[in-house]
Each structure stands twice: as structure tokens, then as C-alpha cells.
């Protein structure tokens, strides 16, 4: 079943082009998006939504954090994202004109299910779940649904479920933008084209695997690692740190790079590798000055730039370039080298990649 791959995680990382192509298959060659993608009542339920509340756990939560940048930045919809286990026990202010979005690979995560029940008990009945398992408990509980077609995910560390969730969340963003008159027909056609290009774009990023494998040797002996990103790439830094923690047991943390000087900079020395997610976006110049602060403290930098980022390599600054610049979708592309990095560091360290200690694939208990 593993074919040419050594582990399910590696196989699933490499299945991402197909998973995305399947998830986006219904777009066909259309130049405009059908709101019905999320269920027959999509337009009716979304048209007067005032805000979006995303609840999820772990990697799915990170997908929600990326979506917040898209929903607010592209569609102009206020959006909050909460860890499900916190939301369900918090006294919060509810608004019936909220769209509650649950994200889950398995659709069986107890905390996410309970958070949805909690939101409904507060009178929020506009519910959408984005889930990878059509017959799961979560899917049954929602008014609207979108099934990602990543296929079965067996490795405990979630990979292809995450990128397909992001594709679904980007579609949701475009639907909101359209309903709110913020999407011209030309831009809409171009956005759909960008989505259709994703499988090819992901394939090109996967081709970086040998170079990432070389980097992984440097990390295998470390105790800690720091991941930095800004804007929509901060959640990608969080996801990179989670992947590394889960399967290599190296302590990793992620920060939005502007926060460095407010504390974590104190940790940086020559033994703390710093991984930066650095595509060419509006915050790149700011990120570069944050990175200089790291270099000045002797921290070794590993930078994932893209074709357009002005980011020269130098002493202690290793730069790997993703082959294209992907605009808003760069978050989806930039997670891939971080998945591969965690995987290859785990191989060097000899950990059980597909079944990391203390973790279960589906967390059906509180
Ligand atoms: C991380 C991971 C977990 C899950 C989390 C939610 O690699 O797999 O953090 O993302 O347990 O699971 P789902 O998405 O099934 O609700």
C-alpha cells in the first residue's frame, strides 16, 4: 500500500497534488464560482452573515487561523478563530448572524463536536463544516458542508487534510467576497485559475525534497527550534512547529516575527535554529529586519523564500526558494517544505513517524 514511500506521512505529503485536484474538481473550467458548493442553502444562509467563527483543534485550528486573513482581507468578513476546547467552556458573546465553521479531518474530534453543540445552544444555527470524512458525526450536525477529498489520512501527523481544508476555506472566502460585491468577474476568473494551478504548484514545491533532506541533518541534533512568520504565514510557522514537535520530539515554538523583541529573542543563540517562512509579501521587509536581530545573536537561519523574495544567502543564513510566487495562496504552498522538514528530521532521529508517542489519530475523548 505504501508503494514507493517509506511511511504514510511521506506518501500523504506527496499525495497533496492529487488531493487538491480532487477537492477542487467541481470547479471544472468555470470562470465563476457556484455558491452551491457548500450545500443548496449556501446563498440563503451566508447572505446576511455578520461574522464568521471558526472552531477547530490542532492542525485544523491552524487552517482556521490562515482563513481569518483571507476572510477579513479579501471578503471583508469579520472572523474569529478559537481552539474548540477553549470555546466550549468560555462565556462568550453570541450573535445569531454568525456563521459557525468547524474544521476537522476526522469529523470525530470530541472537542470540536462539543464546541459546535455549544454554539448551537447559544442560538447560532448557521453552521458549516469542512471535513474529510463524509459519514462522520460532525458532518451530520451542520446545515452546510464541504467534504475535502484528501482521501484516507493514516499518518497521525495531518498533512494533506490541512492543505485541502485551506483550498476549501479559500473557496468560502471567494463566495463571501462575491456575495458582498467584492469580486469582479475578471478577478474571480483569475482566482479560480490560481486554485486550478495548485496541484502543479504543489508538485514543484515537492521537488525540493532532496534539498530539505540536506537541511534536516542540521536539525536532528538540536533540542529546540524557533519558527517565524508574519501575517497569513504566522499560522504556517505554528503548523511547522507542531509538525516538528509531534514527530521528532524536538521542542519547537512559533512566533509572529514582530514579537521576537518582546521576549523570545532572549532564547536565541547559536544552538537555536530559526526557521523563517518568507514569501514575498507586504511584510517581507519587516521580517528581514526581524531576522537580522536573530543573526546578530548568533542564531542560524533557515529561510523558505519564494521566487520573488529578495533574500540573499550569507554566512549563517541558508535560503531555499519555492519556485513561484503564489500571492494569497502562498500560505498553502509554504507549509509543504515544513512538512517535509519535520519528516526528514524524524527519519534522521529514528522516531516512529506514523505513530508518534502519546498521540492518537482521532481524539474522540475530551
Ligand atoms: C496534528 C494533528 C492534530 C489534529 C487535531 C484535530 O498533526 O493531526 O492536531 O489536527 O487532533 O483533528 P481533526 O482535524 O480530525 O478534528
Amino acid at each position: 500500500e505504501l508503494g514507493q514511500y517509506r511511511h504514510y506521512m511521506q506518501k500523504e505529503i506527496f499525495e497533496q497534488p492529487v488531493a487538491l485536484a480532487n477537492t477542487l474538481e467541481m470547479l471544472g473550467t468555470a470562470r465563476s464560482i457556484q455558491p452551491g458548493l457548500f450545500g443548496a442553502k449556501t446563498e440563503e444562509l451566508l447572505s446576511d452573515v455578520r461574522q464568521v467563527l471558526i472552531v477547530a483543534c490542532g492542525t485544523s485550528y491552524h487552517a482556521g487561523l490562515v482563513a481569518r486573513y483571507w476572510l477579513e482581507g479579501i471578503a471583508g468578513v469579520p472572523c474569529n478563530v478559537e481552539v474548540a476546547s477553549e470555546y466550549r467552556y468560555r462565556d462568550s458573546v453570541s450573535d445569531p448572524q454568525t456563521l459557525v465553521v468547524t474544521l476537522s479531518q476526522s469529523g470525530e474530534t470530541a472537542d470540536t463536536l462539543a464546541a459546535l453543540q455549544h454554539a448551537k445552544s447559544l442560538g447560532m444555527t448557521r453552521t458549516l463544516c469542512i471535513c474529510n470524512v463524509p459519514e462522520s458525526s460532525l458532518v451530520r450536525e451542520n446545515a452546510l458542508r464541504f467534504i475535502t477529498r484528501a482521501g484516507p489520512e493514516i499518518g497521525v501527523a495531518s498533512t494533506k487534510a490541512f492543505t485541502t481544508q485551506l483550498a476549501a476555506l479559500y473557496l468560502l472566502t471567494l463566495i463571501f467576497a462575491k456575495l458582498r460585491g467584492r469580486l469582479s468577474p475578471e478577478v474571480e476568473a483569475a482566482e479560480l485559475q490560481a486554485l486550478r494551478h495548485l496541484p502543479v504548484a504543489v508538485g514543484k514545491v515537492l521537488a525540493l525534497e532532496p534539498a530539505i533532506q540536506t537541511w534536516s541533518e542540521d536539525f536532528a541534533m538540536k533540542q529546540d527550534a524557533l519558527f517565524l512568520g508574519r501575517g497569513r504565514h504566522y499560522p504556517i510557522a505554528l503548523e511547522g512547529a507542531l509538525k516538528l514537535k509531534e514527530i521528532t520530539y524536538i521542542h519547537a515554538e512559533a512566533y509572529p516575527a514582530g514579537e521576537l523583541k518582546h521576549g523570545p529573542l532572549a532564547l536565541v543563540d547559536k544552538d537555536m535554529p530559526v526557521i523563517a517562512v518568507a514569501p514575498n509579501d507586504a511584510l517581507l521587509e519587516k521580517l528581514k529586519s526581524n531576522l537580522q536581530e536573530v543573526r546578530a545573536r548568533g542564531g542560524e537561519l533557515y529561510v523558505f523564500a519564494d521566487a520573488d523574495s529578495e533574500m540573499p544567502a550569507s554566512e549563517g543564513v541558508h535560503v531555499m526558494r519555492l519556485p513561484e510566487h503564489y500571492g494569497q495562496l502562498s500560505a498553502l504552498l509554504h507549509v509543504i517544505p515544513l512538512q517535509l522538514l519535520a519528516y526528514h528530521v524524524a527519519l534522521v532521529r529514528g522516531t516512529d513517524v506514523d505513530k508518534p508517542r502519546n498521540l492518537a489519530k482521532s481524539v474522540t475523548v475530551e
Side-chain angles (χ1 to χ4, degrees):
E1 236 190 67
L2 279 170
Q4 66 195 99
Y5 300 106
R6 281 180 69 180
H7 296 94
Y8 282 106
M9 182 184 182
Q10 187 191 27
K11 177 169 180 267
E12 288 160 8
I13 290 172
F14 278 85
E15 278 171 353
Q16 287 176 109
V18 174
L20 286 162
N22 288 341
T23 297
L24 296 167
E25 188 185 11
M26 72 306 189
L27 293 178
T29 54
R31 292 176 57 83
S32 86
I33 192 165
Q34 302 306 323
L37 289 180
F38 289 79
K41 287 190 171 170
T42 309
E43 222 163 331
E44 180 189 328
L45 293 180
L46 300 196
S47 55
D48 61 349
V49 156
R50 272 201 290 251
Q51 59 178 358
V52 172
L53 169 64
I54 301 177
V55 280
C57 305
T59 290
S60 295
Y61 168 70
H62 295 156
L65 290 177
V66 173
R68 174 153 72 136
Y69 289 89
W70 289 338
L71 283 162
E72 298 214 351
I74 299 172
V77 186
C79 177
N80 280 311
V81 190
E82 289 211 43
V83 168
S85 56
E86 283 297 306
Y87 173 70
R88 59 184 288 202
Y89 290 116
R90 189 168 78 77
D91 289 327
S92 55
V93 180
S94 65
D95 174 348
Q97 273 168 269
T98 302
L99 177 71
V100 180
V101 180
T102 41
L103 305 175
S104 179
Q105 187 286 125
S106 61
E108 303 296 343
T109 302
D111 284 319
T112 307
L113 278 160
L116 174 64
Q117 297 303 351
H118 178 66
K120 287 199 213 171
S121 76
L122 295 174
M124 293 183 278
T125 55
R126 294 160 204 238
T127 55
L128 161 68
C129 82
I130 295 175
C131 187
N132 195 43
V133 181
E135 61 281 359
S136 63
S137 310
L138 188 66
V139 170
R140 288 195 289 272
E141 298 289 328
N142 284 270
L144 301 173
R145 65 203 56 166
F146 185 97
I147 306 298
T148 50
R149 287 173 56 197
E153 198 182 58
I154 293 163
V156 162
S158 186
T159 53
K160 61 181 181 171
F162 179 73
T163 40
T164 53
Q165 280 170 349
L166 286 178
L169 288 161
Y170 202 71
L171 287 172
L172 179 67
T173 304
L174 296 181
I175 289 174
F176 266 119
K178 191 169 175 174
L179 290 172
R180 296 181 165 224
R182 290 173 69 118
L183 199 62
S184 70
E186 298 71 42
V187 173
E188 184 175 2
E191 292 285 6
L192 295 185
Q193 198 45 43
L195 282 168
R196 276 191 284 264
H197 176 62
L198 276 176
V200 171
V202 170
K204 290 187 193 167
V205 178
L206 289 169
L208 296 173
E209 188 185 31
I212 293 168
Q213 188 174 1
T214 315
W215 278 14
S216 66
E217 307 281 338
D218 294 2
F219 286 86
M221 306 311 286
K222 302 287 183 193
Q223 308 285 336
D224 310 273
L226 191 59
F227 287 73
L228 300 175
R230 294 195 70 135
R232 61 183 179 268
H233 302 105
Y234 164 52
I236 297 306
L238 284 169
E239 176 59 8
L242 180 61
K243 290 284 94 92
L244 195 71
K245 279 182 266 211
E246 278 183 299
I247 63 163
T248 74
Y249 318 144
I250 293 175
H251 166 235
E253 289 193 66
Y255 273 93
E259 274 289 289
L260 263 184
K261 56 187 174 301
H262 299 290
L265 199 53
L267 290 171
V268 174
D269 63 13
K270 62 176 190 3
D271 296 321
M272 173 75 90
V274 177
I275 300 103
V277 186
N280 185 24
D281 64 13
L283 290 166
L284 184 63
E285 287 307 313
K286 301 259 181 223
L287 177 70
K288 275 160 64 179
S289 61
N290 303 142
L291 297 185
Q292 276 166 12
E293 292 158 15
V294 169
R295 241 350 259 151
R297 272 90 189 163
E300 194 95 354
L301 279 168
Y302 296 83
V303 183
F304 290 99
D306 68 22
D308 294 357
S309 341
E310 184 72 33
M311 184 64 85
S314 58
E315 170 77 32
V317 184
H318 313 270
V319 179
M320 198 175 305
R321 268 174 216 291
L322 273 63
E324 295 176 53
H325 172 69
Y326 307 94
Q328 289 286 347
L329 289 168
S330 61
L332 197 155
L333 277 296
H334 271 262
V335 74
I336 288 162
L338 304 186
Q339 297 168 342
L340 285 169
L341 182 68
Y343 175 70
H344 281 284
V345 175
L347 284 191
V348 180
R349 287 169 70 97
T351 52
D352 189 346
V353 172
D354 286 331
K355 286 195 174 45
R357 66 188 185 198
N358 310 340
L359 299 176
K361 181 63 185 162
S362 187
V363 188
T364 54
V365 292
E366 186 178 338

